[in-house]
Amino acid sequence: MTKRKLVPALYTLFVQDLLPERFALLGVSRSSLTDTDFRSKMKKAIHEFKEIEDNDKIDEFIKQLYYTSVLLDDAASYETLKQRLEQLRAALNIRGNTIFYLSTPPSLYGTIPLHLALVGLNKQEDGWKRVIIEKPFGYDLESALILRDKLLKDWDEDQLFRIDHYLGKETVQNLMVTRFANGTFEPLWNRNYINHVEITSSESIGIENRGGYYDTSGALRDMVQNHLLHVAGITAMESPSSMEPTAIRNEILKVFQSLRPIRKEDVKNHAIRGQYTAATMNGEKLIGYREEDGVNPDSDTETYAALKFYIDNWRWGGVPFYIRTGKRLPTRVTEVVIHFKPTPHFLFAQKTAAKSCNYLIIRIQPDEGLLLKFTMKTPGSGFEVQDVNMDFHYSDLNDQRIPSAYERLIHDSMKGDATLFARTEEVIEAWKFLSPVIDCWKNDKTIPLFGYPVGTWGPEVADDLIEDKEMTWRYPCRNLSKDGIYCEL
Ligand code: BG6
């Protein structure tokens, strides 16, 4: 993480003059490294993972990197950290503004802030002190509440920045602009015109080398509890009173508070889980989830999750929302699809049985953009009709670079702008909402875990979640289990 994402993102900020004039970046871990060792490791990492084509400033940046060895679960070690920070501040003449970025196992999220506070590193007299943590913020509702209490004992909410890197994605933020800067979409954005909303985040990769983590997590905790519920929150929120962080986060929170609880007896019909099994994808033989390193061979952890839910408020009453995510699906795509209601009376002959509906696809990645599907006349005699697209691709703005989520989020945390970070209440509401599903999947052995061959779109029964029986999920490309069929997005 430090090598791949954080240091390259900081370098990119440095190149754009977005870091303070005087700063120090202190690497901290158990390993015993010198400043020089750390610098040379990070220099290599920047060359490999940098997000901007500018090598001229690497040496200048690297000079600001330092390293100190600290046992993060040992309170006594934190005096060493404090001294090193004080010494750097004095030598470089920098103020006390400090961000502690916890790129660590989640088991340390309670411990590190506590130990920092014990040596007074949470005190803000000489400048602000902030803690950034990555998800998972807890493992379930109970552990999330414990973590919340631990963190809030010594730190104020506005010192805590919980990274949800999806919120840092340019296209997720653009969802708000699409909705609230245009007069065309907003009047239609409600139960009167929208049939259902679909949010898909599919990945073609498996669990990479993260078997140990993933097997205790699963798709629901890894993607839905945080990233995808937030995307749903932004899709469904009311217009905030301003672009102030609190105003925006209040609206997202209200959506979470309006999520209709899924009753235990309904879990079967509202949530589908799956796990990938061995198959050939694009000509390559791929192993199943249970054969992956670090995974229990009898594991019933889901690598696919699909969910149907409702938001009980005036805007969305009765409109089903669907979320689906999975590993080893045919392609990498994240998109929100707004399915508008069909016309009340369809006059034209259609080639397909599917109802004619307009839909708006907000493509979060890749090929970021917006696409509106609508029906047009096929040229020629009669009134044959066909679906056509009107689209915008971010890549058309070719003089604009899309910053990485980490670059944006680290910069925001330095500015103290918490808009794109998850607030305690949001995290807790999201766990509350998913608790019945988590409990049933754990304890109710009658709920099936469906196998799906790698390269397919997950369990076929997930289509049954869609209420309107003439519709299915949107499939941006065909299955890849049969060799040689590539995706057309
Ligand atoms: C992470 C999950 O939070 O998000 C990963 O832990 C997942 O399992 C990743 O692969 C997806 O992020 P992105 O930005 O590639 O969609």
Side-chain angles (χ1 to χ4, degrees), residues 139-199:
Y139 175 77
D140 52 18
L141 179 58
E142 196 189 341
S143 55
L145 289 169
I146 294 174
L147 180 62
R148 173 195 71 181
D149 293 347
K150 276 192 184 167
L151 291 172
L152 292 177
K153 191 169 146 280
D154 301 305
W155 300 80
D156 293 333
E157 178 69 31
D158 64 7
Q159 291 180 281
L160 299 172
F161 288 73
R162 295 177 191 78
I163 286 227
D164 182 320
H165 79 279
Y166 261 60
L167 295 179
K169 289 183 192 280
E170 196 61 36
T171 31
V172 172
Q173 295 151 35
N174 191 45
L175 243 164
M176 272 188 268
V177 180
T178 304
R179 291 192 51 199
F180 303 128
N182 296 296
T184 40
F185 299 117
E186 196 50 26
L188 305 179
W189 213 264
N190 58 53
R191 66 181 189 286
N192 296 325
Y193 299 98
I194 293 180
N195 195 62
H196 65 277
V197 177
E198 182 185 326
I199 299 171

Side-chain angles (χ1 to χ4, degrees), residues 5 134-135 165-166 169 201-203 205-208 210 213-214 222-223 226-227 327 332 334 365 405-406:
K5 299 280 186 194
E134 290 267 353
K135 61 145 245 273
H165 79 279
Y166 261 60
K169 289 183 192 280
S201 178
S202 95
E203 294 184 277
I205 54 168
I207 51 161
E208 311 277 79
R210 302 193 305 153
Y213 152 75
Y214 199 88
D222 188 49
M223 291 293 292
N226 34 66
H227 308 323
K327 301 273 187 203
R332 174 174 184 253
T334 302
Q365 63 193 17
Y406 282 96

Side-chain angles (χ1 to χ4, degrees), residues 23-170:
F23 72 95
L25 176 60
L26 179 64
V28 172
S29 83
R30 175 183 293 270
S31 322
S32 107
L33 297 179
T34 61
D35 288 346
T36 317
D37 296 337
F38 183 60
R39 285 176 187 160
S40 73
K41 272 176 179 268
M42 292 306 121
K43 185 170 178 175
K44 252 174 77 189
I46 295 173
H47 276 296
E48 194 174 347
F49 300 110
K50 69 179 176 320
E51 290 148 10
I52 203 162
E53 278 316 313
D54 189 337
N55 290 331
D56 297 350
K57 292 191 165 175
I58 295 186
D59 287 327
E60 208 183 313
F61 174 73
I62 285 294
K63 275 196 278 175
Q64 312 296 317
L65 269 53
Y66 302 87
Y67 183 85
T68 221
S69 168
V70 169
L71 298 176
L72 291 166
D73 47 4
D74 169 27
S77 242
Y78 285 73
E79 275 301 340
T80 321
L81 172 63
K82 188 178 179 183
Q83 280 163 19
R84 185 78 206 266
L85 284 173
E86 278 166 5
Q87 178 220 334
L88 284 173
R89 281 181 198 135
L92 301 168
N93 186 23
I94 43 186
R95 293 183 58 210
N97 292 346
T98 313
I99 294 180
F100 300 98
Y101 196 119
L102 273 50
S103 179
T104 66
S107 54
L108 291 171
Y109 288 173
T111 315
I112 297 175
L114 168 75
H115 289 162
L116 289 171
L118 284 176
V119 295
L121 282 172
N122 59 339
K123 299 277 176 294
Q124 308 203 75
E125 287 91 30
D126 60 342
W128 46 253
K129 304 289 179 305
R130 297 176 185 149
V131 171
I132 300 186
I133 55 178
E134 290 267 353
K135 61 145 245 273
F137 315 120
Y139 175 77
D140 52 18
L141 179 58
E142 196 189 341
S143 55
L145 289 169
I146 294 174
L147 180 62
R148 173 195 71 181
D149 293 347
K150 276 192 184 167
L151 291 172
L152 292 177
K153 191 169 146 280
D154 301 305
W155 300 80
D156 293 333
E157 178 69 31
D158 64 7
Q159 291 180 281
L160 299 172
F161 288 73
R162 295 177 191 78
I163 286 227
D164 182 320
H165 79 279
Y166 261 60
L167 295 179
K169 289 183 192 280
E170 196 61 36

Side-chain angles (χ1 to χ4, degrees), residues 241-344:
S241 54
S242 71
M243 288 308 279
E244 284 304 307
T246 310
I248 295 175
R249 293 160 106 198
N250 283 348
E251 295 307 332
I252 296 177
L253 178 64
K254 279 192 222 159
V255 174
F256 286 7
Q257 288 167 335
S258 309
L259 291 169
R260 184 187 301 172
I262 300 178
R263 295 178 309 176
K264 289 208 165 164
E265 57 272 31
D266 292 334
V267 167
K268 247 185 207 152
N269 303 324
H270 280 247
I272 300 289
R273 59 176 168 168
Q275 192 186 73
Y276 61 81
T277 56
T280 303
M281 179 166 169
N282 273 338
E284 193 190 344
K285 278 200 166 128
L286 294 172
I287 55 174
Y289 176 70
R290 291 181 185 179
E291 287 96 63
E292 298 275 11
D293 273 352
V295 169
N296 174 352
D298 298 320
S299 172
D300 55 9
T301 298
E302 79 286 354
T303 58
Y304 172 99
L307 207 65
K308 171 171 85 171
F309 59 94
Y310 295 89
I311 299 169
D312 282 339
N313 62 20
W314 276 55
R315 184 187 284 269
W316 295 113
V319 176
F321 277 69
Y322 302 97
I323 282 181
R324 144 183 87 154
T325 182
K327 301 273 187 203
R328 286 277 187 241
L329 301 188
T331 188
R332 174 174 184 253
V333 61
T334 302
E335 60 183 26
V336 178
V337 187
I338 308 291
H339 293 258
F340 292 98
K341 288 192 169 164
T343 49

